[in-house]
Amino acid sequence: MKQFLCIVAALIAGVPAAATVYHVSSTPLPSLPASRQFRHVAEAAKSANPGDTVLIHTGIYREPILLTRSGTPAHPIRFEAAPAANVTITGADTLQGWTHEPGLERIYSVAWPYQFIGGPLHAHPDDDYHILIGRAEQVFVRGYGLNPVLRRDQMSRGTFFVDEAAKRLLIWRADNGEVAPDDATVEASTRSVLWDCTGAYITLRGVRFRYAANAAQQPAVRFAGRGDVVEDCIFERTNAEGAGFQAPDQVARRCSFQDNGQMGIGINRAHRLLVTDCLIRNNNTKGFDRGWEAGGEKTVLSRGVVYANCRVLSNRGAGLWFDIGNENCEVHNCLIADNEDAGIFYEISYGLHAHDNVIVGNGFANTPGAWGAAAGICLSSSPGAVIERNLLVGNKEGFDFREQDRTTPRIDAGPDEKEVSVWNHDETIRHNVIADNRDAQTWGWFDNHDERHWPALMQTKRIGKESNGTAGGEIARPLQVAGNTGPPTNLNLEKLKITFTTNIYDAPDGQGIFHWGTDWGRHQYYVDLGKVQHQLGLEQGSIVVPFAFADYLTRDFRVPATSPALKMDCYPRGSVPDVRLGILTGVKR
């Protein structure tokens, strides 16, 4: 009776009466009862309850895993690699039954019943290139990928072709080698989903995911349960997105998102997501259109997303891209380096707080259409931001505004509510070091017809009878978007309430300091910060002074104890991964 009462009390308290540890192994584990070991992760997932742990032993698991059961906040269901185990979950299979195709070339084929995407168009835009890369199939020989072609007569060494009519997969190895009927060195992606978690409070740790045949904008690994946590995992070499986060209160900790075909991470309505101590590197390997969706990550319609202590490196597009209706997101103490477009691109969203980051070497790809988005940080029609204590050094441009007449949906809008207008206003850029950026340290790319980025006294355009009441004349109406309320009229720089203050600038000869306006419209290049302060009323308390630090190439940004960056509180607080910060004596430049 006493034992029974204890069990009842535990159940009432929401505590599992007896948590179970299950094991997954491709080979039997004689020391364990059969009821607690499985050959497949998906089988174990059907038995696990709140508080249970599934330990996955070394092996390559070729299976899709669907998790619908939920844990609780106090007792999540845990899936972990066993101690010292090397666990890979892959979307690829080795194929059997290869035969040589007629002809002199060493082209081999095998039965291929798979079709991942219907229709001829698999990506945006609908040009020949995206029709090719939009296909989801992947083929690997000894871990090296072959390149797809769309027709049999386009094949050459190192390519593959899917003959949909004949339902055959044709390959030609890069080394022109033979392919035996049961060649285990050839793998092809046969699954688009590796891990689909709709259960809440699931914890995943220590697993490598790779080789999914997922379509553009679709994650190979999806976390769609509240409170899911993923730690120490690797998401790599998937056809499109490595991982997707799609529910509130999730955490990604010490994970790597790398070498994926379109993006490392896709985030949608994942409010309060924390991404911490992660690596996001070399994504968009297939070369998807960067104005559509490509690069390190993309976040949409999410509130309170935080990136902390991450490394965002060498992505083929923007490093971190927040797009459409995001609110109050934060990026801090991150190294954001060598991304081909903007380091942080915050677009038609609200309330970014970017602070204490080191942002270097971004924006040099000269991507068509990326005007205003080739900077360390770009605010694109995104009000309410605070940008402070960042080192913006050695980028194509340091800090940018990008402005067009834009609208965005809102997170809490009803299904029939229209999009709202959004533009840059009420932003504060303070206590940053903006130095050695090639084209400009700060650039205001305002592509509007109403001259809103100029002070009232500097505005010149006139339309109709609408006057701004100054000697500068009357201003143009901004564009109106059908079905939506356009931005307010009579805007000027004073009304935008954009504050630049207490920043440090360093621009050697040939590098611009402050550019205001687009190249193709009215603009002014300022080489004297005093004129910025006098004419635009910006950069009060800011100075131009040499920014001395140890060594750019080794990311050693230690500064002398007498550095103005320290005295003006323009230096990052705390640590940044892979960066040396602090005080240095005997500085070299």
Side-chain angles (χ1 to χ4, degrees), residues 243-484:
F245 295 89
Q246 301 176 3
D249 303 313
Q250 298 178 332
V251 177
R253 183 180 291 114
R254 297 184 303 275
C255 294
S256 296
F257 307 86
Q258 60 191 22
D259 305 319
N260 293 287
Q262 186 180 23
M263 296 194 305
I265 308 174
I267 299 169
N268 191 332
R269 296 187 182 273
H271 307 318
R272 299 173 296 281
L273 168 67
L274 171 62
V275 182
T276 181
D277 299 286
C278 289
L279 170 65
I280 305 170
R281 177 178 61 192
N282 192 40
N283 296 289
N284 193 27
T285 58
K286 294 191 77 174
F288 282 96
D289 186 280
R290 299 174 185 193
W292 179 50
E293 189 164 305
E297 69 86 41
K298 192 172 187 182
T299 300
V300 301
L301 292 169
S302 297
R303 181 181 289 124
V305 172
V306 175
Y307 281 89
N309 302 103
C310 292
R311 293 172 292 156
V312 184
L313 309 175
S314 302
N315 293 286
R316 302 177 188 185
L320 302 179
W321 184 0
F322 299 81
D323 182 27
I324 305 178
N326 300 290
E327 299 176 6
N328 303 325
C329 297
E330 182 178 4
V331 181
H332 71 87
N333 296 95
C334 294
L335 171 63
I336 303 174
D338 303 323
N339 299 286
E340 293 189 358
D341 295 316
I344 300 175
F345 187 37
Y346 205 75
E347 184 177 18
I348 53 175
S349 294
Y350 302 83
L352 170 67
H353 189 197
H355 61 95
D356 303 297
N357 301 290
V358 174
I359 304 178
V360 297
N362 301 285
F364 288 99
N366 293 319
T367 299
W371 56 270
I377 298 177
C378 171
L379 297 182
S380 178
S381 303
S382 293
V386 176
I387 311 298
E388 58 185 344
R389 294 189 308 278
N390 301 284
L391 298 185
L392 294 162
V393 179
N395 304 284
K396 184 174 183 287
E397 297 157 24
F399 172 83
D400 279 359
F401 284 119
R402 175 175 165 133
E403 183 78 289
Q404 301 163 283
D405 291 303
R406 303 291 302 277
T407 64
T408 183
R410 298 304 301 266
I411 291 171
D412 299 321
D416 298 325
E417 289 188 49
K418 297 174 181 177
E419 294 186 2
V420 300
S421 295
V422 61
W423 65 96
N424 287 306
H425 61 86
D426 293 281
E427 292 146 321
T428 300
I429 299 89
R430 64 190 178 198
H431 298 286
N432 302 282
V433 173
I434 309 177
D436 297 320
N437 300 289
R438 191 192 74 185
D439 292 351
Q441 310 316 306
T442 288
W443 198 324
W445 292 87
F446 286 83
D447 189 28
N448 305 91
H449 299 285
D450 61 1
E451 295 188 333
R452 66 184 63 176
H453 56 294
W454 297 107
L457 289 174
M458 296 180 68
Q459 292 183 338
T460 62
K461 290 195 174 183
R462 303 167 62 91
I463 286 185
K465 298 180 179 180
E466 186 172 19
S467 173
N468 63 10
T470 71
E474 294 158 341
I475 64 173
R477 294 179 180 273
L479 297 175
Q480 301 292 317
V481 180
N484 297 281

Side-chain angles (χ1 to χ4, degrees), residues 7 87 98 198 432 509 519 549:
I7 293 173
V87 177
W98 292 99
T198 56
N432 302 282
D509 291 343
D519 273 343
F549 56 90

Side-chain angles (χ1 to χ4, degrees), residues 16-29:
T20 302
V21 177
Y22 297 101
H23 293 257
V24 178
S25 176
S26 57
T27 57
L29 301 170

Side-chain angles (χ1 to χ4, degrees), residues 98-101 105-109 139-147 155-161 169-187:
W98 292 99
T99 60
H100 184 261
E101 288 283 296
E105 300 94 346
R106 286 184 172 175
I107 298 175
Y108 294 80
S109 71
V139 180
F140 303 91
V141 178
R142 294 192 176 93
Y144 292 92
L146 302 184
N147 295 318
M155 292 191 71
S156 60
R157 295 184 184 186
T159 64
F160 72 90
F161 165 58
L169 170 66
L170 286 71
I171 70 168
W172 190 347
R173 289 174 49 152
D175 61 1
N176 202 34
E178 296 180 352
V179 179
D182 57 351
D183 193 333
T185 68
V186 182
E187 297 178 278

Side-chain angles (χ1 to χ4, degrees), residues 574-588:
S575 62
V576 172
D578 294 346
V579 174
R580 299 187 72 181
L581 296 173
I583 297 175
L584 176 74
T585 58
V587 174
K588 61 181 179 179

